[in-house]
Amino acid sequence: SRLSPARPLGSTPPSLSLSLSCDSRDRFRSRPAMAALAAESTAATPADDGLDDKESELYDRQIRLWGVEAQKRIQNSKILMVGVGGLGAEVVKNLVLAGLSATIVDGATVSEADLASNFFLDAEDIGKNRAAAVLPRVQELNRLVTVECCAESLETMAADALLELVSKHNLIVCSNAPPALEKQLDALARERSIAFYAGAVFGYEGAFFVDLSTHTFREENGTGETATLTEPETIEYPSLDTALAVPWDALKHRRWGPVSPTFVRYRLLSLFHERTGRPATAADGAELFALGQETLATEGYTTAAEGTAFTEAMASHLAATAQAELAPVCAVMGGVLGQEIVKFVSSKGKPIENVYVFDAMACAGKTFRVPSESEKKRAPAPAPTAAMEVECL
C-alpha cells in the first residue's frame, strides 16, 4: 500500500499540528500542548472496551489519545466526501485512518494537474473517473472500515437519489465544490442533523466553513489521571446561506480583528463561480478584478483611489491560482478539518466557530465566527480610509 494503515489520525504529523510522543505501546504521553486524556481514555482491554483484538491493536494510540467511547463513535460514523482533489484526498486519508467509513463522490476526470496534489493518483489514472481511481488506494489504508465511491456528479443526480445518498451519512465534507451544490447539501444536512463542512484550497491559501446546526460538547481540564470534563456546552451554527449573506463589516471583531484577506479572496472566487457557472481560470483576471471592485464597494471597502483595495495585479494572481491545490496547503487544511471532524464525532473539545482561513505565506491560520440570523446586525460603516483598505486586503 502507498500509505501505512498503522498510522492513525492522532499520529499523523504536520497536518494535525498535534505534538505527540510515544515511548512504547504501553507508555504513551502527550506534550503540554495536548489536552489531557479524560478518565474514559484509560487503556482498556478488548474484553471491557467493546473493541475486538484487531481494532484495539490498530487504534491503540488513538484510544489513548481521545478514549474508547470516542473511538467507538468514530467507527460508527460515515462521511460523504464530495470532491477528492488535493484537499479531499487529505481529509479522506486522515479520517479513514482514524476509523471512519466513507463514500467518495466525484464526477471529475483525472487530469495531469491532479498528480501534483493527490497522492492517491498516478499517471496511469489520467482520463479515469477520479472517485473510482482513488477508491482501491483509500481502501488499502484501513481494511476495518467501509469505503465506497460514486462516480456521478451530485449536480446532475436526481433529487430522490441525492436525498437517499445523503441520509446514509452523518457527516458531509465538500472540497472545492460548486457554491450552489454546497448550499443545497448544507440545507439537506440541517434538515437531518448532519454535520456539514465546505472548504477550498487556492494557491497558498485555503478556507473552510462549518455548520453543525446545534452541537453540544465538553472540554477537558487538567492533566493526566486528574483530567476532568466540563459541563456540556451548546453552540448554535448558522446555515451556509445565512452566513454568506452577512455583511463583511459585521465580521470585524475586537477578538479576531478585521475581515480576513484570505476570506475576502475565498468569497470572490465563490461569487465568480456563482455568476459564471464555472471556477475562475488564469484568463479571468480582468473579470475577477471588476467583480472584486463591485463587491468591495457594496461591502463598504473602497476609496476614491481606484484599485487601492483590489488591484488588477491581485486579481490576475488570484485568477491564476484559483484552481491550484498546492500539496502542503492541502495537508495543513486537511489536517485541521480532520481534527475538527473528530471533535464533532467525539463531542470532546470546542469546535471551530465557524470559519477557518489559512495563509501559507504568512504561516498563519485564523478562525472567526460569522453570526447567526439572530446575531446578524450590520455595524455602522466607518468612513473609508487608506489604512482600512490595507487592513482588509
Side-chain angles (χ1 to χ4, degrees):
S1 74
R2 302 172 183 224
L3 297 172
S4 172
R7 172 172 288 175
L9 179 61
S11 63
T12 301
S15 60
L16 281 189
S17 300
L18 299 182
S19 181
L20 306 177
S21 64
C22 183
D23 298 328
S24 70
R25 278 186 61 83
D26 298 318
R27 186 183 174 194
F28 181 89
R29 60 184 174 85
S30 62
R31 296 174 183 167
M34 291 297 299
L37 299 180
E40 70 175 36
S41 62
T42 303
T45 62
D48 61 18
D49 66 10
L51 304 177
D52 62 31
D53 290 342
K54 289 183 178 180
E55 292 171 328
S56 296
E57 181 179 2
L58 181 63
Y59 302 127
D60 176 72
R61 292 185 181 183
Q62 294 172 195
I63 291 170
R64 295 173 186 272
L65 177 63
W66 50 60
V68 172
E69 292 306 315
Q71 184 60 41
K72 288 180 182 178
R73 288 193 287 269
I74 288 171
Q75 290 175 238
N76 289 329
S77 298
K78 189 171 186 179
I79 179 175
L80 181 64
M81 185 70 240
V82 182
V84 67
L87 176 58
E90 288 285 351
V91 173
V92 77
K93 176 260 293 181
N94 287 337
L95 296 179
V96 166
L97 287 174
L100 277 84
S101 292
T103 301
I104 301 168
V105 182
D106 199 325
T109 299
V110 177
S111 67
E112 187 174 356
D114 288 318
L115 307 185
S117 60
N118 190 326
F119 42 75
F120 289 119
L121 300 173
D122 281 334
E124 64 189 26
D125 297 314
I126 294 176
K128 299 178 182 177
N129 172 264
R130 198 155 58 180
V134 304
L135 177 64
R137 291 147 194 175
V138 175
Q139 290 172 328
E140 290 176 4
L141 300 179
N142 189 344
R143 295 297 185 181
L144 300 184
V145 305
T146 301
V147 183
E148 304 167 310
C149 83
C150 172
E152 183 179 353
S153 171
L154 296 189
E155 294 177 277
T156 58
M157 183 176 288
D160 55 345
L162 178 59
L163 180 59
E164 181 181 358
L165 178 64
V166 167
S167 300
K168 295 177 181 178
H169 304 80
N170 64 329
L171 298 130
I172 299 175
V173 178
C174 293
S175 170
N176 291 76
L181 178 61
E182 291 179 340
K183 293 178 182 180
Q184 180 184 13
L185 291 175
D186 181 51
L188 291 175
R190 289 180 70 86
E191 291 173 1
R192 289 155 185 79
S193 298
I194 296 172
F196 177 82
Y197 303 81
V201 167
F202 44 99
Y204 291 99
E205 298 174 290
F208 69 78
F209 170 83
V210 180
D211 179 8
L212 305 183
S213 189
T214 301
H215 179 62
T216 301
F217 66 94
R218 296 190 295 175
E219 295 188 85
E220 293 177 337
N221 289 327
T223 59
E225 295 183 357
T226 63
T228 59
L229 292 174
T230 63
E231 290 299 313
E233 181 179 345
T234 300
I235 299 176
E236 298 287 340
Y237 284 78
S239 69
L240 177 61
D241 203 32
T242 297
L244 295 183
V246 172
W248 291 353
D249 59 354
L251 305 182
K252 294 181 291 185
H253 194 275
R254 63 181 179 274
R255 176 183 173 189
W256 50 73
V259 179
S260 162
T262 298
F263 178 75
V264 171
R265 290 187 276 271
Y266 170 60
R267 288 294 298 126
L268 290 178
L269 290 175
S270 295
L271 290 169
F272 181 91
H273 199 148
E274 288 179 346
R275 284 196 177 186
T276 64
R278 60 176 178 81
T281 67
D284 294 315
E287 192 171 350
L288 196 57
F289 172 67
L291 175 63
Q293 293 296 293
E294 175 189 334
T295 305
L296 290 168
T298 301
E299 297 291 345
Y301 294 108
T302 186
T303 65
E306 177 131 7
T308 302
F310 190 58
T311 66
E312 293 184 69
M314 291 176 181
S316 295
H317 178 78
L318 182 59
T321 59
Q323 297 186 59
E325 290 189 282
L326 300 184
V329 181
C330 291
V332 173
M333 289 288 294
V336 177
L337 253 173
Q339 182 171 262
E340 287 303 307
I341 290 169
V342 168
K343 284 184 189 177
F344 165 76
V345 174
S346 66
S347 295
K348 291 173 65 175
K350 185 174 183 178
I352 282 177
E353 296 182 74
N354 47 357
V355 175
Y356 175 82
V357 293
F358 176 68
D359 182 352
M361 296 301 290
C363 295
K366 178 179 181 180
T367 66
F368 59 92
R369 178 175 175 82
V370 176
S372 62
E373 190 69 38
S374 60
E375 300 170 308
K376 190 168 56 176
K377 294 180 180 178
R378 190 175 183 95
T385 64
M388 186 178 75
E389 300 307 322
V390 174
E391 191 177 41
C392 293
L393 272 175

